[in-house]
Amino acid sequence: MNITIYKSFSRSLHQTWKELEKNIELSIFQQFNWQKNWFKYIGEKQNYKLNIIIIEDKNSNKVILPFCVKKKFGFKVLSFLGGNQTDYNSVIYSKIISKIENKAIIWDQIQNQLEDFDFIELRNLIN
């Protein structure tokens, strides 16, 4: 597994995300342009910090976790991008990666690269 954390909407992130959009069905809230514009006009103004995670397996299957870190009641909260303007949130993936070994090790690797946070808030999740 290869793990990359994006702290900005870079060209590389754009290319990876748009390639997934061509091959899978996404809601409007999962599309790159919506996420980027939401962050530009809302998230960034509230001082949210991008932490978009891309996990890629050996077969080039990709998973995108569009996260940010925000302050809430004095705590640093890791949550999906989109705030109150998103009806639902979901992981974006090219194929279901059904067998991920050592999930705890992968999460440790991710956590070491993420912005510091106190807890995770996962709201409005869909399957």
Side-chain angles (χ1 to χ4, degrees):
M1 293 282 174
N2 183 37
I3 300 165
T4 307
I5 311 289
Y6 289 90
K7 305 286 185 167
S8 68
F9 283 97
S10 68
R11 183 172 295 176
S12 175
L13 176 60
H14 178 262
Q15 290 172 329
T16 299
W17 204 316
K18 287 296 200 174
E19 190 62 36
L20 276 176
E21 283 185 19
K22 290 179 192 174
N23 299 309
I24 62 173
E25 189 175 323
L26 296 175
S27 77
I28 186 70
F29 303 117
Q30 294 173 297
Q31 293 177 9
F32 180 86
N33 290 337
W34 192 93
Q35 293 277 321
K36 182 179 179 183
N37 284 311
W38 179 88
F39 185 74
K40 179 180 177 182
Y41 294 106
I42 297 174
E44 200 168 47
K45 297 201 182 321
Q46 295 180 21
N47 205 27
Y48 290 8
K49 305 293 183 207
L50 280 181
N51 281 266
I52 299 173
I53 304 163
I54 300 214
I55 305 168
E56 185 174 2
D57 72 7
K58 63 185 176 187
N59 299 316
S60 295
N61 294 314
K62 293 177 181 68
V63 175
I64 300 176
L65 301 165
F67 287 147
C68 64
V69 174
K70 60 185 179 181
K71 290 211 175 163
K72 188 173 184 179
F73 303 114
F75 293 100
K76 295 177 187 173
V77 181
L78 181 73
S79 66
F80 280 103
L81 289 170
N84 294 332
Q85 292 74 35
T86 304
D87 291 338
Y88 50 84
N89 295 297
S90 183
V91 173
I92 302 161
Y93 51 87
S94 55
K95 290 184 180 178
I96 297 174
I97 300 177
S98 59
K99 189 173 183 178
I100 298 177
E101 296 180 21
N102 301 318
K103 291 176 188 167
I105 292 171
I106 292 170
W107 181 246
D108 285 343
Q109 291 173 359
I110 290 170
Q111 239 180 316
N112 289 335
Q113 297 179 58
L114 288 174
E115 188 83 20
D116 185 35
F117 66 93
D118 298 310
F119 63 91
I120 301 171
E121 176 185 51
L122 302 175
R123 298 180 26 211
N124 302 334
L125 291 175
I126 60 168
N127 293 336

